[in-house]
Amino acid sequence: MIQFFKQLYLKQRVFYGFGILVILFGCSYVFPLLYRVAWGALGLFTALIIVDILLLFAKSSHLHADRILPEKLSNGDNNPIGIDLKNKAAFALHCEIIDEIPFQFQKRDFNIQLHLKAKEQRSITYSLSPKERGVYQFGKLNIYVSSPLQLISKRYMYAEAANTACYPSFIQMKKYDLIAFSKNKFAYGLKKIRKIGNTTEFEQIKEYVIGDDIRTINWKATAKKQELMVNQFQDENTQSIYCLIDKGRAMQMPFDGLSLLDYAINATLALSNVILKKNDRVGMMTFSNTIDNKLPAENKKTQLHKIMEQLYHVKTNFFESDYSRLYAQVKHHITHRSLLILFTNFEAMANLERQLPYLRALAKNHLLVVVFFENTELSKLASKSAKNVDDIFDKVIAEKFTFEKRLIVNELTKYGIQSVLTKPEDLSIQTINKYLQIKAKGIL
């Protein structure tokens, strides 16, 4: 009996019916003829409720449902959540679905309503877009079922509580994987660049034969052997690329719900996938006041999984980033010339000037690309027409900071440091573009 009352819920139209009955009984004191009508209506209403109860509770279950969760969620993307429904009753059912989605989404009005015909099976899908990495806990799947009378509803609970981890955007990674290797990649802004040189590595010294390039003659070996000897080179198929991610407090600025750090993490995963497909070695390192998540550059099949696991655990400590410590770690651990892609953010020229000596030191032995962000809110404010003195003041300040971003690019270029200034939402494609550009030019 207790279980019966736990599952029984009155629909809103029942309360409307009781309201009408109260009005009829109230009016019967003024109009006695309505007294019999009121009792007749009460009897009919009670009979309908009893019939509705019998329809829903005659069998233990008229419905079967399953919630289909993905193995893991993709951060910043729409992740499909499936629900499979099967009506086992001989009559149509009205279903109200309330899923207990994780608290991180702060969605209090989740409600899906649908009709199932007799014996009908249906699959429905809704999507969730997480904005932070970590574990998301789903509760029970609650379904309130009503018969065609829709006077009462019976609650069914399915799917035990389940945890799903949210990883860096692997959906975005797959999308840019297709873009980077598709024939239509130019439609997305990727540029075809003429290769102006070859990157070669030494293979062996051999005897000169007619047709060998005389510019490769090794004069020391020739003098020792008393015959012409040449250096033989082979194309260098693999190069080392390291993604350096600033996880200091400057990277906590939010855009569209995601922090700059999460944009950088998603871009690193997408870029790493492209690098490995190009047969290059990829590694990573994160830093703030300490150096963490050090992963040597490799091109093994398991490298992408290692990178994803490292990126999943990256968290900020809100300290000021220590570039001197970054320089020391790079000098100690990355001993051969590599491409360093530094994800960071400089809001003003003064921020760059403090770190510029360390960036120049990194660029001496490596090819350094600094990736930082446009402030899209300031750009909107700068392009907005001014209507009063306050608007003029805001517009001038916004233009000043926007102009400083371009000055930062020029300052980096002056010291031979390449840069990418991009909107947060375009970070992945712009970074992949830059890597493919460097790869095509053969300047690493």
Side-chain angles (χ1 to χ4, degrees):
M1 184 61 69
I2 296 176
Q3 185 67 22
F4 168 78
F5 284 108
K6 283 184 177 181
Q7 292 181 309
L8 177 65
Y9 289 86
L10 299 178
K11 302 281 284 186
Q12 195 170 22
R13 60 181 62 186
V14 173
F15 296 101
Y16 291 152
F18 280 126
I20 293 173
L21 289 174
V22 170
I23 292 173
L24 286 175
F25 277 106
C27 293
S28 65
Y29 288 100
V30 181
F31 305 100
L33 292 176
L34 289 177
Y35 187 73
R36 292 184 178 181
V37 174
W39 276 104
L42 177 61
L44 177 62
F45 191 60
T46 304
L48 289 174
I49 291 176
I50 293 172
V51 170
D52 209 5
I53 291 174
L54 292 175
L55 284 173
L56 290 177
F57 288 88
K59 290 177 61 177
S60 59
S61 177
H62 290 296
L63 183 73
H64 178 75
D66 281 318
R67 180 176 58 205
I68 311 300
L69 290 177
E71 183 180 350
K72 53 182 179 284
L73 300 175
S74 179
N75 193 23
D77 299 311
N78 288 326
N79 296 265
I81 312 296
I83 299 176
D84 292 337
L85 299 165
K86 180 180 180 181
N87 181 5
K88 298 188 291 184
F91 51 87
L93 295 177
H94 175 78
C95 301
E96 183 179 1
I97 303 171
I98 300 177
D99 198 359
E100 296 177 2
I101 62 177
F103 70 90
Q104 289 95 329
F105 296 102
Q106 293 296 303
K107 197 169 184 178
R108 310 296 185 186
D109 57 348
F110 184 92
N111 190 298
I112 300 175
Q113 298 194 23
L114 54 87
H115 287 273
L116 288 177
K117 297 178 182 177
K119 306 297 183 180
E120 181 185 0
Q121 297 185 35
R122 190 187 302 183
S123 296
I124 63 171
T125 302
Y126 67 92
S127 62
L128 295 174
S129 180
K131 299 299 183 182
E132 59 184 43
R133 287 163 288 115
V135 177
Y136 287 71
Q137 184 177 38
F138 287 80
K140 293 186 179 296
L141 177 65
N142 301 278
I143 302 180
Y144 294 84
V145 176
S146 303
S147 73
L149 295 175
Q150 293 193 42
L151 293 175
I152 65 167
S153 61
K154 181 180 180 181
R155 186 178 74 170
Y156 293 94
M157 290 191 295
Y158 301 96
E160 295 299 322
N163 293 334
T164 303
C166 178
Y167 276 79
S169 179
F170 52 85
I171 292 178
Q172 187 183 91
M173 177 193 73
K174 294 175 182 177
K175 181 180 76 171
Y176 290 125
D177 181 13
L178 295 174
I179 290 173
F181 294 94
S182 68
K183 294 180 180 178
N184 298 323
K185 60 186 179 181
F186 307 116
Y188 292 89
L190 300 181
K191 299 178 181 179
K192 185 177 181 180
I193 299 167
R194 181 171 60 90
K195 189 171 183 178
I196 60 176
N198 290 319
T199 302
T200 57
E201 61 180 6
F202 178 78
E203 183 179 17
Q204 65 176 345
I205 300 174
K206 71 179 188 69
E207 294 180 2
Y208 175 83
V209 295
I210 296 175
D212 284 340
D213 190 349
I214 61 173
R215 292 175 297 179
T216 62
I217 293 175
N218 188 322
W219 294 107
K220 289 184 179 180
T222 297
K224 187 175 181 180
K225 290 275 291 184
Q226 297 298 311
E227 57 181 310
L228 284 175
M229 305 294 291
V230 294
N231 294 328
Q232 184 172 327
F233 299 90
Q234 64 179 358
D235 286 337
E236 185 179 0
N237 294 321
T238 60
Q239 297 165 328
S240 294
I241 292 91
Y242 281 86
C243 297
L244 311 178
I245 304 175
D246 181 358
K247 60 175 187 176
R249 60 179 176 229
M251 295 289 282
Q252 296 310 302
M253 186 180 297
F255 283 92
D256 293 331
L258 283 179
S259 68
L260 296 184
L261 177 61
D262 279 309
Y263 280 108
I265 287 171
N266 290 345
T268 297
L269 183 62
L271 176 62
S272 299
N273 182 51
V274 174
I275 291 171
L276 291 172
K277 293 292 179 65
K278 291 290 187 181
N279 297 317
D280 283 335
R281 297 183 296 267
V282 61
M284 63 165 288
M285 188 183 296
T286 64
F287 71 100
S288 57
N289 64 324
T290 58
I291 307 297
D292 303 298
N293 307 105
K294 291 181 289 187
L295 190 65
E298 294 180 350
N299 59 357
K300 296 179 180 179
K301 293 182 179 179
T302 58
Q303 187 71 353
L304 189 63
H305 177 72
K306 290 180 181 178
I307 290 172
M308 181 178 285
E309 290 298 326
Q310 292 279 359
L311 293 174
Y312 173 75
H313 294 97
V314 172
K315 293 183 180 179
T316 185
N317 52 16
F318 294 97
F319 283 104
E320 184 74 21
S321 298
D322 189 347
Y323 281 77
S324 63
R325 191 182 296 269
L326 173 66
Y327 168 70
Q329 287 289 324
V330 169
K331 185 176 181 180
H332 183 262
H333 291 283
I334 307 176
T335 56
H336 57 281
R337 181 173 171 82
S338 305
L339 171 59
L340 306 181
I341 301 178
L342 172 61
F343 294 93
T344 187
N345 193 40
F346 297 115
E347 283 297 321
M349 196 68 183
N351 302 136
L352 173 68
E353 289 172 349
R354 290 200 304 270
Q355 315 301 346
L356 190 56
Y358 306 111
L359 298 180
R360 293 177 61 186
L362 287 172
K364 283 183 179 179
N365 300 317
H366 303 280
L367 179 59
L368 177 62
V369 178
V370 177
V371 183
F372 61 110
F373 299 88
E374 290 182 26
N375 192 321
T376 53
E377 294 301 317
L378 286 179
S379 299
K380 291 177 184 177
L381 188 59
S383 60
K384 187 179 178 181
S385 59
K387 297 181 180 179
N388 51 50
V389 176
D390 290 339
D391 289 347
I392 294 173
F393 179 79
D394 293 339
K395 184 179 175 68
V396 169
I397 296 298
E399 288 177 346
K400 175 183 178 296
F401 280 104
T402 303
F403 180 69
E404 283 205 22
K405 292 279 187 177
R406 297 195 293 271
L407 287 180
I408 291 172
V409 173
N410 293 336
E411 188 71 10
L412 291 171
T413 304
K414 185 169 69 175
Y415 294 106
I417 302 172
Q418 301 202 35
S419 60
V420 176
L421 175 61
T422 177
K423 298 176 181 177
E425 61 267 24
D426 297 333
L427 176 62
S428 295
I429 189 63
Q430 293 292 347
T431 309
I432 293 172
N433 276 347
K434 191 66 176 179
Y435 161 71
L436 295 176
Q437 183 184 58
I438 291 171
K439 186 79 174 172
K441 287 185 174 180
I443 58 177
L444 178 55

